[in-house]
Amino acid sequence: MKKINVKEAVGMTLCHDITEIIPGGFKGAKFLKGHIIREDDVEVLLSLGKENIYIWEEDENFVHENDAAEFIRKQVMGNGMSASEVREGKINFVAEYDGLYKINTELLNKINSIGEIIIASKFNNIPVKKGETVAATRIIPLRIEKKQLEELEEIMKDNVLMEIKRINQDLKIGIITTGNEIFYGRIKDKAREALGEKLGKYGVTNIVQVFMPDKKEKITAKIKELTDDTDIILCTGGMSIDPDDVTPDAIKESGCEMVTYGTPVLPGAMFLLGYVKEKVIMGLPGGVVFSKNSVFDLLLPRILAGDIITKKDIIEMGHGGLLS
Ligand SMILES: Nc1nc2c(c(=O)[nH]1)N[C@H]1C(S)=C(S)[C@@H](COP(=O)(O)OP(=O)(O)OC[C@H]3O[C@@H](n4cnc5c(N)ncnc54)[C@H](O)[C@@H]3O)O[C@H]1N2
Ligand code: MOO
C-alpha cells in the first residue's frame, strides 16, 4: 500500500471505507471504498484526521479487508443466519428467525487466536429474535496475509461455528402439580400461570396440567402415563427437604434416566432433570416456578430447541449461576 498526501490525492480512488464519528450522534462510513476523491473532499478528509490516505497496490500474499470479511463469512456463517453488507471492513451476522443461538466457543477461541481475524459473538445458547445481530467479524486492518485466511479454512473444515436452531412450538407440555395444600384446595394453584408465561414466551401453548397429592406412587404412575402423551413433563412442588417432599423419588422411580438432582444455580438449587423414554422430565422447585430468572429459564430455550442436556452442561452453569 502506498501512502499519499490527501492534498495530492484528488482524482485517486479510496481503497477502504472512511469512518466518521460524531460523539453521541453518527458513527459510520463517510466515504466508501471506490470513491474518487474530489477537490471539495480534501477539507472533509482533513477534518476526519486523514492527512494521508492509502492507495491500494495488488500483492498476491495479502487480501483487502472487505474481501477478507466476505471470505470469513463463507467459512463461518451457519444455518438460520444472514449477513449484512460489508461496511468499514465489518460484516454482521443476523438471525433469520426466532430461535436458539449456538456457537462453538472452542472453535471461536481457535479462530480468534489466528492473529488478525476477529469474530465477536453473543453468548452461546441464548434465545434470539429474528433480525437480531448475533455476531460480527472483521480483520485488524487494512489487509491480511492470505495464509491467515487459509488457516481459518483449515480450522473450519467439517466444522460448524454458529447457527440458529429452531424452537419447536408444537411440543406438548404436561404439568404435574404436587402438594396436598393445592390438591385439597387449601391454597390456589399458581404454577400453571407462571409456567404458562415462561413457555408462552417461546410460542409453546399446548399445555395440560394435573394435580396430585404428595403420594410418591401416584406421582410415579402419573409420570408414566404422561410420557406416552406429552413431550416434556414438568413436576412442581415437593422438591426439597420436608418428609412430604416425595417428588424427586417419584421421578426417579418412573424409570427416569437421571441427569441431575441439584444445580449450581440460584434460584434452582433443587432442580431435577432427566429423560424418560427420550422425553424430558424436570422437577421444578418453588424458587424456579416463582422467580423470573432461574436454572429452568436458562435451560428452557435449549430444551425446546431439542438440545440434550448433560451433567457437564449443568456443572458449567455455576459460573454466572447466581441469578438473584
Ligand atoms: N432448610 C432448608 N430449607 C429449604 C431448602 C433447603 O435445602 N434446606 N431448599 C430451599 C429451596 S432451594 C426451595 S426452592 C424451597 C422450596 O422447595 P419445594 O419445591 O420443595 O417447594 P414446596 O415445599 O413444595 O413449596 C414451597 C412453598 O410454595 C408453595 N407452592 C408450591 N407449589 C405451589 C403452587 N403450584 N401454587 C401455589 N403455591 C405453591 C407451597 O405451598 C409452599 O408455601 O425450599 C427451600 N427451603
Ligand atoms: O431450588 Mo430453589 O429454586 O434454589 O430456590
Side-chain angles (χ1 to χ4, degrees), residues 245-269:
D245 286 355
V246 296
T247 312
D249 282 341
I251 296 173
K252 284 175 199 165
E253 286 176 25
S254 67
C256 164
E257 209 174 289
M258 289 286 291
V259 175
T260 197
Y261 173 41
T263 61
V265 181
L266 286 167

Side-chain angles (χ1 to χ4, degrees), residues 53 72 114 193 196 224 275:
I53 59 159
I72 300 165
I114 292 173
E193 188 189 346
K224 285 183 176 164
Y275 291 89

Side-chain angles (χ1 to χ4, degrees), residues 265-271 285-288:
V265 181
L266 286 167
M270 308 287 148
F271 174 81
V288 157

Side-chain angles (χ1 to χ4, degrees), residues 132-166:
E132 193 174 327
T133 299
V134 294
T137 187
R138 57 157 70 255
I139 60 139
I140 305 304
L142 170 66
R143 55 182 203 162
I144 188 167
E145 295 160 300
K146 221 178 214 167
K147 66 174 196 232
Q148 292 197 32
L149 297 177
E150 284 161 4
E151 205 179 315
L152 169 71
E153 196 170 18
E154 191 56 37
I155 289 172
M156 284 307 301
K157 208 178 255 172
D158 302 325
N159 277 321
V160 173
L161 177 69
M162 53 189 174
E163 63 177 326
I164 311 293
K165 270 180 97 172
R166 283 192 191 275

Side-chain angles (χ1 to χ4, degrees), residues 24 28 67 77 115 117 126 130 139 184 189 193 286 291 294 306 322:
D67 300 328
M77 193 172 81
I117 296 171
I126 58 162
K130 180 181 175 175
I139 60 139
Y184 293 111
D189 170 58
E193 188 189 346
S291 306
S294 73
L322 185 61

